[in-house]
Amino acid sequence: MFRFALHALIVLILTLLTQIGGIAYLVALAASHAWGLRRFLAKLTIFLLCYAGATFAASLAAPIFGRIPLSCVADAADRLVLRSPIYCLLNRNYVTPELRDLAKALAVHMDKEFPGTVTVALDANFPFVNGFPLLPHLTHADGKKLDFAYYYKDVDGAFLNGATRSPIGYFAFEKPAPGDELACEGRNDWLTTRGDRAAPPSPAPNRRRSPICRCRL
């Protein structure tokens, strides 16, 4: 009973994090059982192979359902980049073709206004099923949502192209500018994902400012 509950929990977590990871785990579990595998490393290898295959298959099948992946592989000429390969590894990089074109147009516009600027994208959507939640977001469930990171400058005012305050672009917040709406004013939450740091970089001037810029259709 404990083993069944453990497997069920793993399937749930993988599904919530990656959408297809739970299915890959079940396939790997069945294959390991059929082949009589007992060693943890062998089982892990089978799961990773199944997950890699499922991820590749998802990239091929998603366009049938109206979504396409944003690439995590960028070269020097790309103006729109994903902050981390983790978004592709977790299948959180899918958008509708219209949103992909809109995001690229935004990146091109920023590059024209501020030559050399790289626009950094973060969480998008899962490859399949409208309404499937992409936690912790409440709205990334239809292929039409994409988060963007701030554009930053250092303490001396020099532009930090493509930089973010955290390795994945989240969990490090900025204080609102004078006159900004204070949506959380008066709240004293004891549980938060905030990550304050000493002498942080500041959002660059003359560029769009919001805690996380969101692109939606």
Side-chain angles (χ1 to χ4, degrees), residues 54-160:
T55 297
F56 177 71
S59 69
L60 299 179
I64 300 174
F65 299 89
R67 301 184 192 182
I68 55 177
L70 296 176
S71 177
C72 280
V73 180
D75 58 38
D78 289 328
R79 298 297 92 189
L80 176 68
V81 301
L82 283 174
R83 180 62 184 91
S84 170
I86 194 171
Y87 295 111
C88 293
L89 292 175
L90 298 181
N91 297 291
R92 302 168 74 97
N93 60 317
Y94 286 82
V95 295
T96 62
E98 295 81 7
L99 181 54
R100 187 272 312 272
D101 294 342
L102 180 60
K104 287 189 173 182
L106 170 64
V108 169
H109 170 75
M110 294 302 296
D111 182 46
K112 288 182 178 179
E113 291 292 320
F114 308 96
T117 294
V118 170
T119 296
V120 179
L122 307 174
D123 261 338
N125 310 263
F126 284 135
F128 308 113
V129 186
N130 285 343
F132 193 99
L134 186 129
L135 300 178
H137 306 285
L138 300 178
T139 60
H140 290 230
D142 57 4
K144 300 179 180 180
K145 310 297 187 300
L146 177 62
D147 286 355
F148 292 101
Y150 267 130
Y151 302 93
Y152 279 100
K153 63 180 180 179
D154 64 18
V155 293
D156 296 321
F159 178 48
L160 301 174

Side-chain angles (χ1 to χ4, degrees), residues 10-21:
I10 293 174
V11 168
L12 176 62
I13 292 173
L14 288 173
T15 300
L16 291 177
L17 286 178
T18 71
Q19 191 178 55
I20 63 175

